Amino acid sequence: MIVARTGFALFALIGAFAFAGGVPLTAQSTLHLEREISLPGVEGRIDHLAADVTGHRIFVSALGNGTIEIVDLAQGRRTGQIKGLHEPQGVAFSPEKNILYVASGGDGSVRSYDSGTLQPLKTVTLGDDADNLRYDPNKQKLFAGYGEGAIAVLDSDLARSADFKLPAHPESFQLASGGKRIFVNLPNHKAIASIDLSKNTANALWAHPTASANFPMAIDEIGKKLFIACRQPPSLIAFMPDSGQEITHSTTVGDADDLFYDPARNTVYVIGGEGFVDIVAVHPDGSLESTMHVPTAPGARTGLFVPQWNSLLVAAPRRGTREARILVFSVGRP
């Protein structure tokens, strides 16, 4: 293993690729901190992010600041703000319609905006704690977690078309099987729910006794693995999505709130608020190996992996005299 550091910059080269039938036997991933983009005046906790891939923009939910921060990656600076929101949490972008969607926990609303002018379009009130959002571009449907336990299905104009009741508040959830299923983290139940969209049913819960406080989630559809990160104790757990059976688990960074699967490198990135990103190799036998503990910033527990840019973005909140900022890591090619 070769590690080189200059100040905050980091370049990590891990392992090597061997191939059998075109399948990598050992995952390799590199992270290099390219730059930091300041968010002047942004205070408090930062929640989730979304990307406009073609427009080279990201949308950042500055929950504690009551704003959405629009950052142009090509220019390397903030180019706009949506103000006056009540605890913005989830954010999603529709490239087909150039619409930005924002879920706010403080007033339980989901709002839509013209992503070019940032002018408001429509608002729907779901209930308490509107949280994570997911957008299905094929069906042009928006999914929103909210309340004591529900996921609402909204049309692109925010017309409400369905609701799935759950026994606890949903945290991260992922669309799978071509948009036919949803897997949902229910940390208050120490469980995962499975929703069958083709049958409009919420299926039985899958318990995971290894750890609790499961907030982030990612899925590998080709390799048939569902990943969750837990905070108590800090753990990364892999499941079989068809049965809910645990495959394996390993220790990971603490206070995780986002994780992403990188299919090109068969790697998982876990972003934790204790100030690190864990790079975890997923081996062909299903085992997990933490290959690098990459420093970020205290409290930086959310981010976004954008494979089209080969970038991992991490949101760092203001701490002391250091302004809030976006850390832009380049992800090396296999």
Side-chain angles (χ1 to χ4, degrees):
M1 179 175 69
I2 302 171
V3 179
R5 300 188 190 186
T6 304
F8 209 125
L10 174 87
F11 182 87
L13 179 60
I14 305 150
F17 267 79
F19 286 83
V23 178
L25 298 181
T26 303
Q28 168 185 308
S29 187
T30 64
L31 283 185
H32 172 70
L33 183 63
E34 286 187 335
R35 54 184 166 157
E36 301 184 6
I37 302 175
S38 294
L39 300 174
V42 171
E43 303 286 345
R45 176 182 155 198
I46 298 176
D47 217 336
H48 299 295
L49 289 70
D52 169 9
V53 174
T54 303
H56 300 284
R57 297 181 298 168
I58 59 170
F59 307 99
V60 183
S61 295
L63 182 151
N65 204 54
T67 60
I68 296 293
E69 305 291 309
I70 295 88
V71 176
D72 188 308
L73 269 292
Q75 299 182 42
R77 65 183 182 89
R78 179 177 63 196
T79 55
Q81 267 187 329
I82 298 174
K83 299 180 180 181
L85 298 171
H86 301 280
E87 299 180 4
Q89 300 189 104
V91 61
F93 175 68
S94 165
E96 301 84 11
K97 297 181 177 296
N98 287 313
I99 293 177
L100 175 67
Y101 300 98
V102 179
S104 297
D107 59 10
S109 70
V110 175
R111 290 178 167 85
S112 60
Y113 298 85
D114 182 300
S115 72
T117 65
L118 303 183
Q119 291 300 306
L121 300 174
K122 293 190 177 180
T123 301
V124 61
T125 300
L126 297 181
D128 292 338
D129 200 9
D131 199 344
N132 279 274
L133 294 178
R134 297 289 181 269
Y135 179 72
D136 183 342
N138 296 318
K139 298 180 180 179
Q140 295 189 11
K141 296 283 188 180
L142 185 70
F143 299 85
Y146 72 96
E148 294 183 359
I151 289 181
V153 184
L154 307 172
D155 295 333
S156 58
D157 63 356
L158 297 186
R160 199 164 177 169
S161 59
D163 254 289
F164 294 96
K165 299 301 180 184
L166 298 165
H169 178 74
E171 287 295 336
S172 180
F173 58 91
Q174 299 295 328
L175 303 177
S177 302
K180 296 179 181 178
R181 298 176 73 187
I182 305 177
F183 297 103
V184 189
N185 263 336
L186 303 174
N188 290 343
H189 267 242
K190 198 177 176 181
I192 301 167
S194 173
I195 296 174
D196 188 329
L197 293 173
S198 64
K199 298 179 180 178
N200 287 326
T201 57
N203 299 330
L205 302 182
W206 298 337
H208 49 88
T210 306
S212 61
N214 51 309
F215 285 84
M217 173 187 288
I219 190 166
D220 168 15
E221 290 241 54
I222 296 175
K224 295 186 177 181
K225 295 181 183 67
L226 182 68
F227 301 98
I228 66 170
C230 297
R231 298 178 185 173
Q232 300 171 1
S235 308
L236 177 65
I237 309 175
F239 295 89
M240 297 176 65
D242 292 333
S243 65
Q245 179 182 349
E246 182 176 322
I247 300 170
T248 187
H249 66 274
S250 66
T251 59
T252 194
V253 63
D255 194 26
D257 206 37
D258 263 333
L259 73 88
F260 302 93
Y261 175 69
D262 179 351
R265 301 162 185 86
N266 208 16
T267 297
V268 175
Y269 307 108
V270 186
I271 303 175
E274 68 177 15
F276 294 90
V277 172
D278 264 357
I279 303 175
V280 182
V282 184
H283 293 299
D285 63 359
S287 63
L288 304 174
E289 180 189 3
S290 181
T291 55
M292 181 55 67
H293 205 49
V294 180
T296 53
R301 65 180 189 175
T302 57
L304 185 67
F305 172 56
V306 186
Q308 297 92 332
W309 300 340
N310 284 302
S311 295
L312 180 69
L313 312 171
V314 178
R318 177 170 180 168
R319 287 289 188 272
T321 59
R322 293 296 305 272
E323 287 185 325
R325 60 205 186 279
I326 301 297
L327 310 179
V328 182
F329 290 91
S330 62
V331 179
R333 300 177 184 274

